[in-house]
Amino acid sequence: MIKRAIYPGSFDPVTKGHLDIIHRASKLTEELIVAVLQNSSKSNIWFSVEERINLLKHSISELDVENCKIKVIAFKGLLVDLIEREDVDVLIRGLRAVSDYEYEVQLDLTNKQLTKKEFETIFLNSSRKYLYLSSSIVRDVALHKGELKYFVTDYVKKELMKKVDEMNGKK
Ligand code: COA
């Protein structure tokens, strides 16, 4: 059993694909830190870090988690600094298509170069039904008022629709 693992991401917003990884990771570790990147270089962020944390906490509370303590935090700066600070043993990453692999190897090797802290990276393959999913695709479906129930929880769906209304100038 892993003592403490971390699952980082932008989560803008959390999708059922992320929740699938969180649920499966919770079976491997005593404690799971879901870390939300605050200073993302992504240009089209919809939700503030506080909103993203709220969406995550709400969605995680609906998961059937047994013996794992899950905490959701924001982080800035380098991931490895957080890994050192929180004394993390394992970094969890989800792998979707083969195209994720190259980026993940680059990320992993860079992270390992940046710290003396020993940790392992565990890749969990996405479940088949979420292989194609990404937060930006979900945002795009929301923008065009498509059906979101396959991709996000009801709560996230509601918040996405609110955001779209806000962006369209409706309150
Ligand atoms: N299900 C659904 N979607 C998934 C998914 C899954 N299992 N796994 C990933 N995705 C989606 C994400 O939603 C995201 O979608 P988007 O690009 O449309 O927003 C996309 O796939 C990429 O996800 P990910 O690779 O996790 O990127 P991220 O931006 O969410 O997180 C960090 C990347 C936070 C891990 C990385 O940027 C980081 O560590 N940053 C800190 C700075 C640092 O240390 N840099 C040096 C390391 S190179």
Side-chain angles (χ1 to χ4, degrees):
M1 193 72 165
I2 300 160
K3 207 149 181 265
R4 184 176 290 165
I6 192 163
Y7 179 47
S10 318
F11 305 108
D12 184 44
V14 57
T15 68
K16 287 190 176 178
H18 296 126
L19 291 169
D20 173 54
I21 300 287
I22 291 171
H23 186 229
R24 286 161 53 208
S26 76
K27 295 179 186 164
L28 308 173
T29 180
E30 287 172 17
E31 190 178 340
L32 180 65
I33 301 169
V34 180
V36 183
L37 181 65
Q38 205 165 346
N39 55 334
S40 175
S41 55
K42 290 182 179 169
S43 55
N44 188 24
I45 291 277
W46 275 23
F47 292 97
S48 69
V49 73
E50 292 79 15
E51 288 171 327
R52 285 180 271 148
I53 287 176
N54 174 48
L55 296 177
L56 268 161
K57 284 187 175 165
H58 210 287
S59 302
I60 290 170
S61 73
E62 292 175 1
L63 291 178
D64 186 15
V65 172
E66 280 178 8
N67 297 314
C68 176
K69 185 174 155 211
I70 303 184
K71 70 174 179 180
V72 185
I73 61 168
F75 82 104
K76 281 190 214 173
L78 289 178
L79 179 62
V80 285
D81 290 342
L82 181 67
I83 287 176
E84 283 175 24
R85 246 188 348 263
E86 296 280 344
D87 195 17
V88 167
D89 310 298
V90 165
L91 168 61
I92 304 277
R93 296 289 291 160
L95 270 188
R96 292 165 303 164
V98 181
S99 50
D100 277 349
Y101 180 74
E102 233 173 283
Y103 170 66
E104 289 301 333
V105 170
Q106 190 183 17
L107 204 73
D108 189 43
L109 294 178
T110 309
N111 283 335
K112 295 276 167 56
Q113 191 66 53
L114 288 169
T115 182
K116 289 199 172 69
K117 162 102 180 105
E118 285 190 18
F119 67 94
E120 288 299 337
T121 305
I122 293 185
F123 298 106
L124 296 180
N125 280 326
S126 269
S127 298
R128 195 166 6 159
K129 55 185 174 172
Y130 304 126
L131 266 182
Y132 57 91
L133 208 51
S134 76
S135 297
S136 39
I137 283 194
V138 164
R139 294 196 303 272
D140 201 44
V141 173
L143 202 57
H144 296 96
K145 304 272 162 88
E147 183 50 76
L148 288 162
K149 70 178 176 195
Y150 307 107
F151 312 136
V152 296
T153 60
D154 288 346
Y155 182 72
V156 174
K157 177 177 164 178
K158 202 172 79 207
E159 294 303 306
L160 269 166
M161 295 329 294
K162 263 203 245 168
K163 195 58 92 179
V164 170
D165 284 346
E166 267 170 45
M167 289 189 304
N168 289 335
K170 296 184 214 156
K171 278 278 156 147

